[in-house]
Amino acid sequence: EVPKIKRLMPVSDPIECHILVAFSVAVGTIVHCVGHAMHALTKMGYFDDGEGAEFMVFRANVITDPAEGKRFVPLFNQIFDYSNRWAALTGIILTLLMLVIYVVAVVHRCAKKRRFSFEVFWWTHMLWIPIY
């Protein structure tokens, strides 16, 4: 009988272990991107500022009122912010590269003609070089 830990973490099979790690990275990336999206929306003023129970309530009509002392940053300015070393733009590019790797890997895993798809699989997996 196979121990329970080996069913959860297939360390003896390198391909299955690689798939498990890739799935974990994909889930972590999604959670990370959702966090950044929530932060960007908050900076744009789509959520209340946390006073009282209205935190996280979507506000459709955002009014930029200097008398309130609130500063709203447009999404374009958040993405193309050179003072932050272009962090948002490079994050978007890295996420798209990881998405290409992940999608091609899933398609390759399900493909019937692996000889053709292996070339695409291999070259997209080589995108890890510009990522790191």
Side-chain angles (χ1 to χ4, degrees):
E1 182 177 325
V2 178
K4 290 180 182 180
I5 189 71
K6 284 194 176 185
R7 279 187 250 149
L8 293 174
M9 223 166 93
V11 291
S12 60
D13 183 10
I15 293 175
E16 292 298 322
C17 184
H18 191 85
I19 290 170
L20 179 68
V21 169
F23 180 74
S24 301
V25 168
V27 169
T29 301
I30 290 169
V31 170
H32 188 89
C33 289
V34 167
H36 278 294
M38 297 297 288
H39 181 252
L41 288 172
T42 303
K43 284 180 78 172
M44 288 169 53
Y46 281 104
F47 297 108
D48 198 10
D49 59 356
E51 296 176 6
E54 293 185 4
F55 183 65
M56 303 298 283
V57 175
F58 187 74
R59 291 180 1 192
N61 298 322
V62 178
I63 300 170
T64 306
D65 187 5
E68 291 183 28
K70 294 182 181 177
R71 182 174 163 248
F72 301 108
V73 182
L75 184 61
F76 182 84
N77 293 354
Q78 290 183 49
I79 293 174
F80 297 102
D81 182 13
Y82 64 88
S83 66
N84 197 18
R85 298 180 308 278
W86 304 93
L89 183 62
T90 56
I92 291 169
I93 292 169
L94 291 175
T95 302
L96 290 175
L97 289 175
M98 290 174 70
L99 183 66
V100 167
I101 292 172
Y102 193 77
V103 168
V104 169
V106 169
V107 169
H108 173 72
R109 181 92 169 141
C110 300
K112 302 249 188 227
K113 296 181 181 180
R114 288 197 176 198
R115 184 167 280 293
F116 170 74
S117 65
F118 184 77
E119 292 281 329
V120 177
F121 169 79
W122 176 256
W123 286 110
T124 56
H125 259 63
M126 290 297 107
L127 288 174
W128 71 268
I129 295 170
I131 288 175
Y132 291 102

